Amino acid sequence: GAVFMWLMTYVGAVFNGITLLILAELLVFSVPIVYEKYKTQIDHYVGIARDQTKSIVEKIQAKLPGIAKKKAE
């Protein structure tokens, strides 16, 4: 949290609030169009990323069984 806030001070120095609102609005309207156009490729790469994340989490839980038990509860 603190690192994120520290990084945001630099983002704030470059962009003011109105610029960030305009960028957010552009993203909100352009992301669905891009997704519709490249749906199969995006879904493919999201699936790969999800599988890799799942395997990493399983490896970490295998090394630290105490955490796996706490998350299960």
Side-chain angles (χ1 to χ4, degrees), residues 1 4 6 10-11 26 32 34 37 40 42 44 58 60 62 64:
F4 177 74
W6 179 71
Y10 290 103
V11 174
L26 287 172
V34 171
K37 198 171 184 181
T40 52
I42 292 172
H44 175 70
E58 286 172 0
I60 292 171
L64 303 168

Side-chain angles (χ1 to χ4, degrees), residues 30-51:
S30 63
V31 167
I33 295 165
V34 171
Y35 180 71
E36 285 295 319
K37 198 171 184 181
Y38 301 105
K39 188 172 182 157
T40 52
Q41 290 108 315
I42 292 172
D43 287 347
H44 175 70
Y45 289 116
V46 167
I48 291 172
R50 193 175 290 149
D51 291 342

Side-chain angles (χ1 to χ4, degrees), residues 20-31:
L20 289 175
L21 285 174
I22 293 168
L23 288 172
E25 188 175 342
L26 287 172
L27 280 173
V28 164
F29 289 110
S30 63
V31 167

Side-chain angles (χ1 to χ4, degrees), residues 44-67:
H44 175 70
Y45 289 116
V46 167
I48 291 172
R50 193 175 290 149
D51 291 342
Q52 287 180 341
T53 306
K54 197 181 292 183
S55 69
I56 291 169
V57 169
E58 286 172 0
K59 287 176 187 173
I60 292 171
Q61 288 180 344
K63 290 179 181 176
L64 303 168
I67 292 174

